[in-house]
């Protein structure tokens, strides 16, 4: 969905210029995130041994491509959320310490020196704290 200036301003102001997920102040280049993912259709082209996938612009769930299904988001949250639902996004975030510990020797070393401490807490998104 392509937002016009008025819709974009409305969305920006939905949480007073803050990311619906982490609550940071939105900067230039903020994203309009689909709360419920819409999954874009792909067109596949074959170029020799390579397959090139290109989005068509069409979605599998066009009913979700509307302003009521959008949240303002910082680029970092939106890219990480990707095509996940809000609950899948929450679960993915919860696993990040274990993933960093497993695959990053730098993380394990920082943890060893007390620079990183894991805390056990539930993830509550900004939109949940302030209400929609």
């Amino acid at each position: 969905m392509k937002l016009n200036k008025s819709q974009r301003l409305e969305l920006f102001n939905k949480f007073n210029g803050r990311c619906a997920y982490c609550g940071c102040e939105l900067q230039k280049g903020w994203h309009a995130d689909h709360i419920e993912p819409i999954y874009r259709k792909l067109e596949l082209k074959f170029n020799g041994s390579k397959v090139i996938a290109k989005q068509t612009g069409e979605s599998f769930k066009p009913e979700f491509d509307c302003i009521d299904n959008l949240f303002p988001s910082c680029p970092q949250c939106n890219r990480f959320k990707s095509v996940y639902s809000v609950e899948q996004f929450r679960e993915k975030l919860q696993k990040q310490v274990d993933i960093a510990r497993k695959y990053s020797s730098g993380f394990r070393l920082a943890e060893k020196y007390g620079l990183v401490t894991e805390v056990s807490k539930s993830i509550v998104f900004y939109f949940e704290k302030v209400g929609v």
Side-chain angles (χ1 to χ4, degrees):
M1 169 178 193
K2 180 79 173 154
L3 298 176
N4 62 37
K5 285 185 180 182
S6 173
Q7 291 170 317
R8 194 155 170 86
L9 181 61
E10 177 186 338
L11 187 60
F12 180 86
N13 289 327
K14 192 169 190 173
F15 297 106
N16 297 315
R18 295 192 169 274
C19 174
Y21 301 109
C22 71
C24 75
E25 288 186 25
L26 295 172
Q27 305 296 317
K28 184 178 180 179
W30 62 274
H31 294 189
D33 175 60
H34 287 91
I35 304 160
E36 289 296 327
I38 59 170
Y39 304 103
R40 300 267 183 213
K41 294 180 181 181
L42 297 176
E43 180 180 278
L44 300 177
K45 290 186 178 182
F46 299 93
N47 184 1
S49 61
K50 291 184 181 180
V51 178
I52 301 167
K54 180 181 174 187
Q55 286 188 357
T56 66
E58 294 180 75
S59 66
F60 287 104
K61 296 182 179 181
E63 67 275 15
F64 288 163
D65 202 11
C66 63
I67 194 148
D68 291 338
N69 188 39
L70 294 175
F71 272 167
S73 176
C74 69
Q76 187 177 18
C77 282
N78 189 39
R79 286 187 189 112
F80 193 80
K81 181 178 176 279
S82 184
V83 295
Y84 296 108
S85 68
V86 171
E87 288 310 312
Q88 289 169 324
F89 179 36
R90 190 185 324 266
E91 289 170 13
K92 189 176 174 188
L93 282 170
Q94 290 284 169
K95 295 176 182 175
Q96 290 311 296
V97 171
D98 290 337
I99 290 169
R101 187 178 290 124
K102 183 174 181 179
Y103 294 106
S104 172
S105 60
F107 180 88
R108 289 189 303 273
L109 189 60
E111 197 173 36
K112 183 177 182 178
Y113 279 91
L115 299 173
V116 177
T117 306
E118 182 178 4
V119 294
S120 179
K121 69 179 209 175
S122 298
I123 293 173
V124 180
F125 293 117
Y126 184 74
F127 76 89
E128 295 168 319
K129 294 175 187 173
V130 299
V132 180

